[in-house]
Amino acid sequence: MARRPGRRERPLDPQSGPLERFALELRELRERAGLSYVELAQGAHFASSTLSQAAAGQRLPTREVLLAYVRACGGDVGRWEERWERARRDVHGSGAQRGVAVARDVEPVESTSFVGRERELAAGGELLARCRLVTLTGIGGVGKTRLARRICRAVAERFPEGTYCAELADLKHGHAIADAIAAAVGVPAGPGQSPLNALATALRGRNLLLLLDNCEHVLDESARIAHVLLERLPQLRILATSRQPLDVDAEHVVQVKPLDLPALRSGHLREDDVTAPDPLDSPAVMLFADRAEAASPGFRVTEANRHVVARVCRRLDGLPLALEIAARRLRTLTLDELLERLDHRFRLLGPGGRDRTAHPRHQALRALFDWSYELCTEAERTAWQQLSLCAGGVRLADAERLCDAGRAGEPADDVALADAFEGVAGLVDKSLLARVETGGHTRLYMLETVRAYGQERLRESGRVRDALRRYRAWYLGVAAQAGAAYGSSEQADWLRRLRPEHPNLRQIVTAEPPSDEPAETVLDACAGFWLHCLTSGNVGEGAHWMRTIIERHPRPPTPETTETWCRAVWVAGFLLLLNADQNSTLEMISRGEQALADPSPARGTAVRAGHRVSRTELAAAFLQLRGLVALMAQDAASSARYAQSALETGQGYTMLLTRQQCIAQLGFSAVIQGDHARSTALLEEALALSEARGDTWHRCYLLWALAVDRAEAGRPKEAVGLLHRALRHIWEIDERMGEAAISEVLAWVLTSCGDARSAAVVLGAVDRVWHPSGIPRLFGFAALAAHRRRGLEQARRSLGDVAYARAYQEGRCLDLRQALEEAFRDNEALGDQGEGAAR
C-alpha cells in the first residue's frame, strides 16, 4: 500500500543561516531512514508535530527533542550533540541581531519519575490557552518548579518561537530580573539600552512562553516586569512560580497543594486510624515508594508495611521535598524508626538526607522554611507562631482574636484586629495557611510541618507562655459559651461551632495546664463538653477528658468555686454513664452531692456568660442523673422517683437540667411500665416545652422517645413518621450517635411494619457507626437493647438467614444516611403518618 503523502515541507536555503543548515541536515537524516514524522513519533515520546518542528528551520530544537529525533532515525547521538552545540553557538551569535528566538531546554531530561498532578497539569495547560499570565503558587517544597516545567513541555507545540525559563532563585535584587530574562532568551542589551527595552524590541511579534521561576523574594519587581512585558508584547504568555501571587491584573492563579494522601477508612484524621486498603493509589505514597526503592535497594511497599508508609506520608503532609529527603533516610533507618523520629523532623530531614545537586534551600527541610520565614513581615511571623499552636485548623475570626496585640479576654481593638488580619492574610498569600470555606465561614489550615516550624520559632522567641495562655483561654472560653447555650434556640449553632474545634479541645484538655492558669478556666469549659462529646460521637474520649480534669481537681479549688466544680463533676458523671461506666457515674454523683452538702460560708453561684447555677439547681441535676442511671438499668420506678424529686427540688433552668428533660424521664419510665396513656401525655408535654424554646437537640430525642412509645403501644406506622421528623432535626446538627440510636429503633419499627429487608439494610449500615465510635450500642439502655434483639430476630425469621445476611451486608456497604433515605423512600406512605403526631 502506497504511503499517503504528507504536507510538503517548506523549502530551506542553506545560505540563510545556521538554523536552516541544521534543519536541512535533520531532514536528510530522516529521508535516509525512510521514515515519516508519524513513524518517528512511534519510537519517541514526542508528538509528530514536535518532531517536524525540529526540522522546520524556525528555531533550534531542544536537546531532548533532538536526541529523540536522532535515536528514532538511527543516527549517531554523539555526533549530533556536537552539531547541535555548534549550531547553538552560531545562532546565539547572530540571533540577537536578527531577533531570532532560540529554544531553551526548559524541561531537561528527568532523572526521577514525575508523580500525580494530573489536575494541575490540565488546569495550567487550559489557562495558558486563554490567559496571558498564569502563576503556580504553593508552599516551598511542594513541587512548583517541576510542575511548571512539565506544563511548559506539554504546551510547547503552541509556541513556535520557543519556551524559555528565567530562574530567579539566586537573584539578590529585583533589578536583576530583566537581565536574567534577557540572558535566558538570548537577547543581550545593546550599548545604552536597558534589558527590558532590548527584550521588548527583540521579541516583538513572537509567539513564545516565558517561565519566571521562584519569584517570591523579588515579588514587586517580578510583578512590574511581567506587567510591562505583557503590555508591550501581545503574543507573549508568562508562566510564573511563586509562594504567593504576583497580584497583577492579568494573573490567573493555580494553587499547587501537597500530593494527595492515602484515604482513611473511618474518615477521621487521628494518627491511629486504619488506612484504606490501597494506599498505593495515593500519589504521596507512590512518590515515597519510588524514592525509597531508589535510595535503599530492596525496599518495597508490602502488605506488612503499607500502613506505616501511609502514616509517614501523612505525618509529612504529602510534601514532595519532605518525602524525598525522608526516603533517603531509609539507607540508615528502618521504616518504623523513621516514623518514630518524625517528631524531630527538622533534625531528621537535615542536610544528611539532601540531594547534592539541589538548590541549597532545597537540601534540608529547615532551610526551606527558614527562607519562607525570612520573607514574612513581623506581623506574619507573629501569626505563624501563634497559630502553630492550633490543631485541626482555626476559624478566621478566632485567628484574628488569637493574633491581635491586645490581651486575650478583653474587648477587641479595631486597629489591633486589622493588624492581626493582615498578618493572617499574608500567611494565606504565602501559602503557609490554606483556606477552606465551611458553612459560610473561612477556616484556615496549617500543614503539620509548617506548625512544627512555627512552634520552634515560638520557643526561640520566648513568647511560649503568653501564646499558650492566649490559645487555651480562647478555646476554653468558646466551650463555656457553647455550654451556656444549652437548651436554647442557639444550641444547634453552638454545637456546629464547636464541632471542628474538637482537635483544639483535645490538645488543651490532655496537656498539662500552665501553673498560673486558674482552675475555673477549664472547669467552666466543661459545661460545653458533655453535649459536644455526645453529638460529635466522642463520648469515650469525653469521659477520658473529664476523668483527667477531675483527677487534677479532686475537690473544689476554693470554696467560691464549689458550684463550678460540681457542674464539671456532673458532666463527668453523664459522659461516664453513656460510656457504660455506671459505677463511676454513681461515684461522681456522690462526690458532687457531698461537696454541695459542705456547710461552707462561701455560698455563691457559678456564673459564666450570664448563666447562674445555684446549689439547689445542682442538687436537682444530680437527682436527675441518678434517675437516668436507673432508667438505663430498666429500673422504671426508681427512675421516676428521682425525676420527680429533681422537678420538685430545682424549679429553674440550668446548664445541666431542663424541666422537659425530667418530664421526658418520667415519660420514658412510663413507657417501660406499659402505661402508654401517661407516657404519651408526659412526652408530648416535654416536646411542647422543647419546641417553645427552639431547642433542637432535646426535640430529636423526645421525638425518638415518642416513637418508641407509639411502637410499644402497637402503632408502628406513626412511629416511622416520628422517627423521620427526629432524623431531620438530627441532620440539622449532624449528630452521628443520635442518628445511629434513631436508626436502631427504626429498624425494629420497620420490621413491625412488614419491611424486614429495609430493617436488615439499616442494621448493617448502623453497625459501621457504632463499632469505630467505641460507644456502647444504644448508650447501654437495657430496654432499647431488648427492642433491638426482638426486631433483629423477627427480621431474620421473616427473611430467612441467607436473605437477611445478604441485606445486612448490603447495608454494611452503604453510608448510614444513604441507607436511611432508601428505607424512607421504600416506606414513603408510612413516613407521612407520624407527621401530624405530637405537634
Side-chain angles (χ1 to χ4, degrees):
M1 181 177 175
R3 179 181 297 167
R4 181 180 174 181
R7 181 186 296 176
R8 286 181 59 85
E9 293 181 295
R10 183 175 68 87
L12 296 174
D13 180 1
Q15 303 303 316
S16 297
L19 275 177
E20 289 80 354
R21 286 195 296 274
F22 189 78
L24 278 172
E25 291 169 354
L26 284 174
R27 290 183 184 182
E28 290 169 4
L29 175 66
R30 180 182 64 81
E31 288 168 2
R32 286 198 300 273
L35 297 171
S36 69
Y37 286 112
V38 172
E39 290 166 332
L40 282 184
Q42 292 173 358
H45 297 293
F46 292 96
S48 58
S49 58
T50 301
L51 297 175
S52 66
Q53 281 293 319
Q58 297 297 309
R59 61 174 180 164
L60 195 65
T62 65
R63 186 191 298 270
E64 189 178 9
V65 170
L66 172 76
L67 296 181
Y69 188 109
V70 171
R71 288 191 182 107
C73 292
D76 185 327
V77 170
R79 286 189 178 181
W80 276 98
E81 280 193 289
E82 292 174 4
R83 289 183 183 179
W84 184 84
E85 285 290 351
R86 286 197 301 272
R88 188 174 68 85
R89 287 194 296 271
D90 291 342
V91 171
H92 236 328
S94 60
Q97 286 75 34
R98 297 172 56 238
V100 176
V102 184
R104 297 293 173 179
D105 202 357
V106 166
E107 176 59 34
V109 177
E110 293 175 334
S111 57
T112 56
S113 62
F114 184 85
V115 175
R117 302 300 191 198
E118 289 81 6
R119 292 189 303 271
E120 294 91 338
L121 280 167
E126 189 273 329
L127 283 172
L128 281 172
R130 59 185 178 84
C131 308
R132 300 192 59 211
L133 171 61
V134 176
T135 304
L136 306 183
T137 64
I139 193 171
V142 81
K144 299 183 295 296
T145 293
R146 198 161 184 199
L147 173 62
R149 292 174 181 273
R150 272 276 167 157
I151 292 173
C152 286
R153 175 174 169 177
V155 302
E157 293 179 16
R158 302 183 203 163
F159 300 97
E161 306 297 335
T163 57
Y164 305 87
C165 174
E167 173 54 67
L168 312 183
D170 293 320
L171 299 187
K172 303 295 184 186
H173 305 287
H175 59 69
I177 295 175
D179 290 320
I181 297 173
V185 179
V187 181
Q193 188 180 28
S194 74
L196 201 56
N197 287 335
L199 277 169
T201 301
L203 302 182
R204 187 173 293 116
R206 302 291 180 180
N207 181 9
L208 53 87
L209 174 63
L210 174 62
L211 169 58
L212 298 180
D213 197 21
N214 293 297
C215 299
E216 57 271 356
H217 61 302
V218 283
L219 200 65
D220 290 344
E221 190 65 7
S222 296
R224 187 187 72 82
I225 288 178
H227 175 74
V228 170
L229 289 176
L230 291 172
E231 196 172 57
R232 296 174 66 177
L233 300 171
Q235 290 183 278
L236 175 68
R237 293 284 193 278
I238 296 177
L239 177 64
T241 73
S242 176
R243 298 189 190 185
Q244 69 183 99
L246 302 186
D247 286 331
V248 176
D249 285 345
E251 182 180 40
H252 285 70
V253 175
V254 175
Q255 193 172 28
V256 184
K257 299 179 180 179
L259 293 172
D260 288 343
L261 292 161
L264 296 175
R265 191 189 302 275
S266 69
H268 296 297
L269 296 176
R270 291 194 297 270
E271 273 300 314
D272 56 353
D273 271 327
V274 178
T275 307
D278 297 312
L280 273 173
D281 289 343
S282 150
V285 173
M286 291 169 63
L287 177 69
F288 179 81
D290 179 81
R291 303 305 191 259
E293 289 171 14
S296 179
F299 176 86
R300 295 291 183 274
V301 178
T302 65
E303 182 66 25
N305 69 16
R306 62 191 177 91
H307 293 309
V308 182
V309 170
R311 289 180 65 187
V312 167
C313 293
R314 282 200 157 274
R315 290 289 305 279
L316 294 175
D317 306 300
L319 196 61
L321 179 67
L323 293 172
E324 291 177 341
I325 299 175
R328 294 188 197 103
R329 285 304 192 188
L330 292 178
R331 295 174 186 148
T332 307
L333 302 171
T334 68
L335 189 60
D336 288 311
E337 288 170 337
L338 175 67
L339 179 62
E340 289 169 7
R341 295 178 183 225
L342 286 180
D343 285 340
H344 307 286
R345 65 189 70 198
F346 292 107
R347 187 162 64 239
L348 177 68
L349 306 181
R354 72 187 186 280
D355 173 359
R356 298 178 193 278
T357 64
H359 191 280
R361 288 202 296 270
H362 286 73
Q363 290 188 6
L365 200 61
R366 184 183 300 281
L368 188 75
F369 286 98
D370 285 344
W371 177 242
S372 292
Y373 195 75
E374 289 302 314
L375 295 175
C376 289
T377 65
E378 193 57 40
E380 290 164 356
R381 293 175 187 177
T382 300
W384 188 347
Q385 293 171 18
Q386 179 70 62
L387 299 183
S388 71
L389 295 175
C390 297
V394 57
R395 201 178 193 186
L396 173 60
D398 293 346
E400 291 175 277
R401 291 305 309 271
L402 285 166
C403 296
D404 76 34
R407 298 183 60 182
E410 293 186 353
D413 175 82
D414 290 343
V415 175
L417 279 177
D419 291 343
F421 174 79
E422 290 302 328
V424 173
L427 295 181
V428 174
D429 284 344
K430 290 178 169 63
S431 306
L432 293 162
L433 280 173
R435 176 190 175 275
V436 176
E437 183 178 336
T438 56
H441 297 282
T442 292
R443 193 162 185 86
L444 305 167
Y445 293 90
M446 192 177 277
L447 297 180
E448 286 304 304
T449 305
V450 180
R451 285 188 66 211
Y453 184 87
Q455 289 170 13
E456 285 200 7
R457 285 291 191 167
L458 180 60
R459 286 191 290 272
E460 292 170 6
S461 72
R463 293 182 52 255
V464 173
R465 186 173 172 181
D466 176 68
L468 193 59
R469 187 190 302 114
R470 182 185 294 267
Y471 167 67
R472 290 177 62 89
W474 181 259
Y475 283 107
L476 291 173
V478 170
Q481 287 178 277
Y486 170 66
S488 74
S489 59
E490 297 176 352
Q491 178 181 277
D493 290 336
W494 275 103
L495 287 173
R496 284 190 291 268
R497 168 78 171 89
L498 215 54
R499 185 73 53 83
E501 307 309 341
H502 189 80
N504 283 311
L505 296 174
R506 174 194 293 139
Q507 182 170 263
I508 288 168
V509 173
T510 56
E512 194 68 33
S515 58
D516 59 347
E517 180 179 272
E520 298 95 311
T521 304
V522 70
L523 293 174
D524 283 337
C526 295
F529 290 168
W530 71 281
L531 196 53
H532 160 69
C533 288
L534 170 60
T535 60
S536 63
N538 291 289
V539 169
E541 187 174 8
H544 171 68
W545 288 4
M546 295 312 303
R547 278 189 188 278
T548 300
I549 291 168
I550 301 304
E551 283 171 4
R552 287 177 183 153
H553 306 286
R555 60 187 59 85
T558 64
E560 292 78 15
T561 58
T562 298
E563 291 81 6
T564 303
W565 180 84
C566 285
R567 188 175 57 195
V569 168
W570 186 95
V571 171
F574 179 86
L575 289 173
L576 286 163
L577 175 61
L578 292 192
N579 204 44
D581 190 349
Q582 294 186 7
N583 290 335
S584 293
T585 297
L586 291 171
E587 179 195 346
M588 289 291 175
I589 293 172
S590 295
R591 290 172 69 175
E593 289 174 338
Q594 288 171 14
L596 290 173
D598 182 8
S600 167
R603 289 183 175 274
T605 55
V607 182
R608 275 299 176 273
H611 218 95
R612 295 176 177 271
V613 184
S614 70
R615 290 193 175 205
T616 302
E617 291 169 327
L618 282 164
F622 282 119
L623 284 169
Q624 181 266 338
L625 191 54
R626 283 191 181 278
L628 191 56
V629 174
L631 186 65
M632 295 182 92
Q634 218 166 346
D635 182 353
S638 295
S639 178
R641 186 171 65 254
Y642 283 124
Q644 189 62 48
S645 296
L647 278 172
E648 293 168 358
T649 302
Q651 295 298 317
Y653 161 84
T654 77
M655 290 183 187
L656 308 177
L657 172 72
T658 60
R659 182 173 179 80
Q660 60 263 36
Q661 195 173 25
C662 275
I663 293 172
Q665 206 162 295
L666 287 170
F668 215 101
S669 298
V671 172
I672 293 174
Q673 293 170 322
D675 186 350
H676 294 294
R678 176 173 166 75
S679 63
T680 299
L682 286 166
L683 290 172
E684 288 184 345
E685 179 188 352
L687 181 61
L689 286 170
S690 182
E691 288 178 335
R693 295 193 65 91
D695 163 19
T696 302
W697 180 74
H698 271 128
R699 224 178 309 175
C700 301
Y701 283 90
L702 289 167
L703 287 164
W704 175 53
L706 271 169
V708 173
D709 177 55
R710 295 288 199 279
E712 284 283 86
R715 297 152 67 184
K717 294 180 180 180
E718 287 183 32
V720 173
L722 289 164
L723 291 170
H724 199 186
R725 285 177 59 195
L727 280 165
R728 285 206 294 269
H729 290 306
I730 283 287
W731 291 336
E732 183 184 339
I733 57 176
D734 192 26
E735 190 202 330
R736 295 287 284 171
M737 301 322 340
E739 184 180 49
I742 291 171
S743 300
E744 294 277 13
V745 173
L746 177 66
W748 157 48
V749 172
L750 286 174
T751 304
S752 301
C753 292
D755 188 0
R757 186 187 176 283
S758 289
V761 171
V762 169
L763 286 171
V766 80
D767 273 356
R768 291 183 58 200
V769 179
W770 289 119
H771 286 311
S773 74
I775 300 172
R777 188 182 295 276
L778 289 165
F779 308 112
F781 269 95
L784 294 176
H787 293 324
R788 180 184 185 278
R789 283 194 300 273
R790 290 201 304 271
L792 189 153
E793 290 164 3
Q794 185 179 346
R796 197 188 298 273
R797 285 196 304 271
S798 298
L799 293 173
D801 288 345
V802 174
Y804 175 85
R806 188 182 299 118
Y808 177 87
Q809 196 56 43
E810 180 184 332
R812 292 280 296 169
C813 299
L814 294 175
D815 177 78
L816 179 56
R817 181 81 57 90
Q818 183 182 356
L820 290 169
E821 288 172 348
E822 289 185 8
F824 282 118
R825 193 160 49 245
D826 292 342
N827 294 273
E828 189 172 355
L830 295 177
D832 295 336
Q833 297 203 26
E835 293 297 309
R839 289 194 184 278

